[in-house]
Amino acid sequence: MTDYSDLIQPDKGQDARMIHLVDKASYDSWLKGRSARERAALAAAAYKPEAFAHAILPGDGPEDWSVVTAVADSDNLSAWCLAKLGQLLPEGRYRLDGRQPGKALFGWMSGQYRFDRYRPKAEARGTRVLLTGDVGAIAPMVAEMRATALVRDMVNTPAADMGPAAIEKEAERIAKAHGATVAVTKGEALEQGFPMIHAVGRAAAKHHAPRLIEIEWGKPDHPRVALVGKGISFDSGGLDIKPSAGMRLMKKDMGGAAHVLALAELVMASGLPVRLHCLVAAAENAISADAFRPGDVLTSRLGLTVEVGNTDAEGRLVLGDALAKASEGKPELIVDFATLTGAARVALGPDLPPLFANDDALAEAMLAGGIDRDDPLWRMPLWDGYAELLETDIADLGNAGSSPFAGTITAALFLKRFVGEGIVWAHLDTFAWRPSAKPGRPKGGAALGLRAAWAMLQARYDRRRKSDPA
């Protein structure tokens, strides 16, 4: 995995090519101040200050060129406004003319992400380095990019190489790097203690056996925070098998696990003053003679009985057991990530994860974090009026709603039943995938909601560190 720390450097006055930022409002006045040669070059290129449009400006010598690029608002840079330049410019050093990059540092790095694990002979590209005078911003931004790249890498990796054991190995790597402990429950202990995780994963081959992976880190006297991720390494749909088109991207169904592992590493690497409990319910929803069936009734870790209405609604089952375990530690906050419902994509599309929360202040902080990081979320209602759709005749609740409507809400209401009383909780139904590329956001695995959640955690707990340095 690329380190990314070599893509941003402190500006010490070293040689670098200039990047001029313009927008529609400022372009004409900026153009008047350029040389005749530059204006002629822009006219010949029919340059217009439209989003992400850039042009090379000639200088006095053949190597004296600079760059102009258009942004939406040159006084308020977004995370993505320099992402296309990060992808396209020749290798070398660059600095912005008259201002600091701010949030745009992230997109500059993100534009240089590549997933080449299965293309060892892919042509290597030199690095494009952006200089900044805000030295304090470099390390936090690099950390966020590394976390984003981890999510992308894990989701992009095929299920054969990113099964439950590989997810466990990634958790162990992260824990070892930060002095955390890892506990893994599998086999008979999983069947007894986490029966819904076991039921979903029991049909898989032995080398893809299901498990609950837990990371513990932090001081006992710090506030306890739990991060819970859905780690379905491949989702065939089970006996309610998906059509081939629906199964094609199901390597990404462990995207929730990737998000919480990346978020956990951000928490630990920054030394955030929390007592972290990260839980990943890892399983493959496979088909065999031992697969769980529609109509089966499962007894959850919490003791609630669940009638299986659809084996393709397996994510909420594994999360139910994991949320119950997380609640036993009495955290003050639980955040879960899951690629949970197709209904979420119907409602909000691939770019905008639905956010559910049982606390208004938490929801507002998550939404604010999304705005701050250009990682938007949209709050959806935990409307109890739809809880009746989860009722069944023979169990406490069903895993599939009795109506084709409100699928993403009923899924969240199912999860809510497994969250402990009085615990503040947020659920993100992330897609973890981009079906088409945008500048800095390649097609494939995507971290959607990761940086929003991280901004919330920083706002919630960094203030405690500042008020209590010890």
Side-chain angles (χ1 to χ4, degrees):
M1 188 169 64
T2 303
D3 182 71
Y4 294 100
S5 61
D6 56 345
L7 304 184
I8 305 174
Q9 294 179 2
D11 193 342
K12 300 178 180 179
Q14 58 269 57
D15 290 339
R17 300 192 187 281
M18 195 69 74
I19 298 175
H20 307 279
L21 299 180
V22 298
D23 54 31
K24 290 183 178 180
S26 66
Y27 181 68
D28 289 342
S29 61
W30 173 85
L31 186 62
K32 291 176 182 178
R34 310 316 302 171
S35 69
R37 179 181 295 179
E38 290 172 327
R39 290 196 300 270
L42 291 168
Y47 182 78
K48 295 181 180 179
E50 298 172 345
F52 298 112
H54 77 282
I56 302 299
L57 303 176
D60 294 333
E63 295 298 323
D64 294 337
W65 54 270
S66 60
V67 185
V68 60
T69 190
V71 297
D73 182 353
S74 59
D75 293 325
N76 185 23
L77 301 186
S78 76
W80 307 112
C81 62
L82 297 181
K84 191 171 184 179
L85 293 185
Q87 291 174 228
L88 297 179
L89 288 178
E91 66 177 290
R93 285 193 298 265
Y94 298 85
R95 66 164 54 87
L96 298 189
D97 183 16
R99 65 157 303 152
Q100 299 302 324
K103 293 194 294 184
L105 290 169
F106 182 81
W108 180 271
M109 291 184 290
S110 186
Q112 299 184 57
Y113 170 84
R114 298 289 183 275
F115 182 68
D116 290 331
R117 174 172 175 174
Y118 300 97
R119 297 185 298 176
K121 296 182 180 179
E123 182 180 354
R125 294 190 63 191
T127 57
R128 280 78 70 203
V129 178
L130 188 61
L131 304 179
T132 177
D134 187 4
V135 177
I138 295 176
M141 203 69 76
V142 168
E144 291 187 21
M145 184 59 227
R146 288 173 178 161
T148 298
L150 175 61
V151 174
R152 292 175 181 175
D153 285 350
M154 290 184 70
V155 173
N156 283 330
T157 301
D161 295 327
M162 191 51 68
I167 296 171
E168 177 186 335
K169 186 176 180 180
E170 194 62 44
E172 289 175 342
R173 178 196 66 80
I174 292 169
K176 183 177 180 181
H178 302 286
T181 61
V182 176
V184 180
T185 306
K186 51 189 174 182
E188 185 177 348
L190 186 77
E191 183 177 2
Q192 296 300 316
F194 303 92
M196 293 200 296
I197 298 175
H198 174 266
V200 169
R202 73 190 188 203
K206 288 184 178 180
H207 63 286
H208 287 320
R211 64 206 68 197
L212 180 74
I213 305 160
E214 299 176 77
I215 298 174
E216 293 266 11
W217 174 89
K219 297 180 180 179
D221 58 341
H222 282 162
R224 190 167 177 85
V225 172
L227 305 177
V228 180
K230 172 188 171 185
I232 299 297
S233 59
F234 189 80
D235 182 16
S236 69
L239 292 177
D240 288 310
I241 190 169
K242 294 177 182 288
S244 58
M247 212 184 296
R248 175 64 180 85
L249 292 181
M250 283 302 100
K251 68 176 184 178
K252 76 173 186 64
D253 214 20
M254 39 60 65
H259 278 75
V260 297
L261 289 175
L263 187 54
E265 186 158 33
L266 280 169
V267 167
M268 292 185 284
S270 72
L272 200 69
V274 298
R275 185 182 177 195
L276 178 68
H277 187 196
C278 179
L279 305 94
V280 170
E284 179 181 349
N285 189 17
I287 301 172
S288 77
D290 196 29
F292 75 122
R293 297 164 288 266
D296 283 355
V297 175
L298 309 177
T299 300
S300 69
R301 179 178 180 84
L302 191 61
L304 291 172
T305 55
V306 179
E307 183 179 13
V308 178
N310 190 319
T311 61
D312 195 23
E314 85 298 330
R316 65 200 68 182
L317 297 175
V318 302
L319 281 174
D321 274 353
L323 286 167
K325 178 60 188 297
S327 296
E328 291 167 13
K330 302 190 183 306
E332 70 169 42
L333 171 67
I334 297 176
V335 179
D336 81 67
F337 280 82
T339 52
L340 204 61
T341 66
R345 316 288 79 85
V346 174
L348 297 176
D351 293 351
L352 194 58
L355 165 69
F356 294 87
N358 63 1
D359 179 83
D360 290 341
L362 174 61
E364 290 169 6
M366 293 282 283
L367 295 173
I371 292 171
D372 180 69
R373 295 301 207 276
D374 293 314
D375 185 22
L377 308 170
W378 193 269
R379 190 179 186 187
M380 298 280 276
L382 273 169
W383 194 56
D384 287 328
Y386 289 148
E388 63 185 26
L389 300 178
L390 295 171
E391 294 177 358
T392 78
D393 294 333
I394 64 171
D396 292 322
L397 72 165
N399 79 321
S402 59
S403 165
F405 304 117
T408 191
I409 297 175
T410 55
L413 289 172
F414 181 95
L415 298 182
K416 182 183 176 184
R417 295 288 297 272
F418 296 89
V419 176
E421 188 71 27
I423 298 174
V424 175
W425 164 67
H427 159 59
L428 283 87
D429 192 338
T430 186
F431 192 38
W433 190 265
R434 288 197 179 275
S436 58
K438 296 181 179 181
R441 290 151 287 182
K443 180 180 178 180
L448 300 171
L450 170 70
R451 298 174 70 227
W454 175 228
M456 177 277 294
L457 290 174
Q458 287 179 301
R460 187 181 180 103
Y461 295 108
D462 251 351
R463 58 183 171 80
R464 300 188 184 189
R465 174 160 52 190
K466 292 170 184 176
S467 62
D468 183 17

